[in-house]
Amino acid sequence: MHADVVLSDRDRDLFAQGLEDWLPSRVFDAHVHVFGRAGFPAEHEFAPRTCYLRFGGEHTLEQCQAAVAEVLPGRHFGMLSFGTPDPVAQRETMAAYTGEISDNRDRFGMTLVAPEDTVTTLERRIRQYGLIGYKPYRDYVTGMPAEAVRIPDMLTDEQMGLAHELGLAVTLHIPKSRRLADPANQEDMVRLSRRFPNAQIIIAHIGRAYWLDNVVGNLAGISACPNVWLDTAMVNHVEVLEYTLKHFPRERILFGSDAPISWLRGKSVEINHQYAYLMGEPYSVGSAIYDADHVVEFTFFYYEMLNAIKEACRRAGVTRTELEGMFWHNAHGLLDRVARGLHGASGSTPTGT
């Protein structure tokens, strides 16, 4: 175990005074990266400031559970997990580990997917490791400029056809600098959902909309698609969350965190229709600005997200039942249905691990 997650007195006060009575007793996190060091080549060296080094080059189930026990005391925890999308990471090894730690009761898992992964390979991973779907990334697309990549370049029609045939869940980290506001993404998300209606498409990070202008007016198309869901991973912008709660079906909103990044201390802020991560620790996370002089005492991204969701729910008039749905029933119900359709009774043991 490396670099334990430890609460300060300020963290404990924040949870006790602001979150303890509000946060439901069950928390299902629909966006967690869990992986062992064995998923990387033995000779691989991590970049000096990568957040992976904060946890010893891995984020195992044991590390995750230890962090949860600290950050979410007294809560029953469930999660949807997948490996880390580092291009050098071995997807097969990552998928095997994800299957090993998944029980399809409280813990569900996905394989990472690249365009070159055949549907035969994907179906074998799903069935052999007891997984419920997959997650593509722009960084797996080669031979074209990053900004030119569209969703179908990341996730082929054949792969989506398998997701439709098997009723899989697909967590989609959309490309392009304009993210949710990009017309190509808007077109592709709606097209995928309508062409493959039996696939359950989870748009990660509310379409990576970390600033308000990026989300306003851009939820109508996907909100009309009953097989499209949103996860809230790493979104701690109150107005973005409030707008989402008011313009997207609440029963299809899933709490997510993006752990282990969310175990770090920091906060995402909007700056001139952009965003940056203000960091309390010297690690590189996207557009990071490190407070090297320690001007303020940061709490975890996890708590910043929970605080923002709490305020957004207050502004949007979210009921207790709706809140409990976002923190458990929406995600767990969806993934349980997928798992039962693929592997039989809930909690079935994957084979070959």
Side-chain angles (χ1 to χ4, degrees), residues 62-335:
E62 292 75 21
Q63 288 174 294
C64 183
Q65 289 175 325
V68 167
E70 287 291 314
V71 176
L72 300 174
R75 266 55 188 182
H76 181 79
F77 184 77
M79 67 177 176
L80 170 61
S81 73
F82 20 74
T84 182
D86 191 304
V88 305
Q90 299 160 333
R91 292 189 296 281
E92 186 71 29
T93 304
M94 293 275 181
Y97 182 74
T98 301
E100 180 182 335
I101 66 171
S102 298
D103 59 15
N104 288 327
R105 289 189 299 267
D106 288 344
R107 299 193 298 270
F108 302 82
M110 289 179 166
T111 180
L112 301 172
V113 58
E116 63 264 29
D117 291 334
T118 67
V119 293
T120 301
T121 295
L122 288 174
E123 183 169 2
R124 177 189 56 75
R125 283 185 198 158
I126 295 291
R127 298 196 183 279
Q128 180 176 352
Y129 302 134
L131 306 177
I132 52 85
Y134 29 83
K135 186 177 185 186
Y137 278 91
R138 185 189 71 177
D139 289 350
Y140 289 142
V141 179
T142 59
M144 60 191 305
E147 189 61 21
V149 174
R150 292 184 61 160
I151 292 170
D153 300 312
M154 300 161 48
L155 192 63
T156 68
D157 280 355
E158 291 78 15
Q159 292 166 345
M160 277 304 302
L162 180 66
H164 171 77
E165 177 186 346
L166 300 182
L168 304 179
V170 176
T171 294
L172 188 56
H173 184 101
I174 64 174
K176 298 189 175 294
S177 59
R178 292 185 65 193
R179 306 162 185 236
L180 187 65
D182 194 287
N185 282 336
Q186 290 280 320
E187 176 186 335
D188 290 340
M189 288 186 294
V190 172
R191 183 191 69 85
L192 282 183
S193 68
R194 291 178 176 172
R195 186 174 176 190
F196 305 102
N198 202 36
Q200 303 301 312
I201 303 169
I202 303 168
I203 308 297
H205 314 287
I206 313 181
R208 300 170 66 224
Y210 300 127
W211 66 97
L212 185 59
D213 185 61
N214 197 246
V215 72
V216 172
N218 295 319
L219 293 176
I222 56 176
S223 69
C225 301
N227 60 330
V228 173
W229 309 68
L230 298 178
D231 83 33
T232 66
M234 283 302 283
V235 180
N236 65 212
H237 191 303
V238 173
E239 286 77 18
V240 169
L241 290 160
E242 178 188 3
Y243 184 88
T244 302
L245 289 167
K246 290 179 176 179
H247 294 87
F248 194 87
R250 294 172 185 176
E251 66 273 15
R252 289 193 272 127
I253 298 175
L254 319 176
F255 170 70
S257 75
D258 211 8
I261 292 175
S262 55
W263 304 137
L264 298 175
R265 295 181 179 275
K267 180 177 175 58
S268 174
V269 296
E270 177 171 341
I271 304 171
N272 191 24
H273 300 306
Q274 305 161 89
Y275 81 100
Y277 294 121
L278 301 186
M279 300 294 297
E281 303 183 54
Y283 295 98
S284 178
V285 178
S287 52
I289 301 173
Y290 174 48
D291 176 20
D293 294 329
H294 305 292
V295 174
V296 297
E297 182 180 340
F298 287 86
T299 190
F300 310 108
F301 280 107
Y302 216 106
Y303 279 175
E304 292 289 359
M305 285 183 275
L306 293 179
N307 276 333
I309 292 170
K310 178 183 176 182
E311 175 60 17
C313 286
R314 185 192 68 80
R315 296 184 187 184
V318 170
T319 68
R320 190 69 188 180
T321 297
E322 290 171 333
L323 183 70
E324 290 174 350
M326 288 187 289
F327 274 97
W328 187 270
H329 301 293
N330 298 353
H332 188 271
L334 166 65
L335 301 176

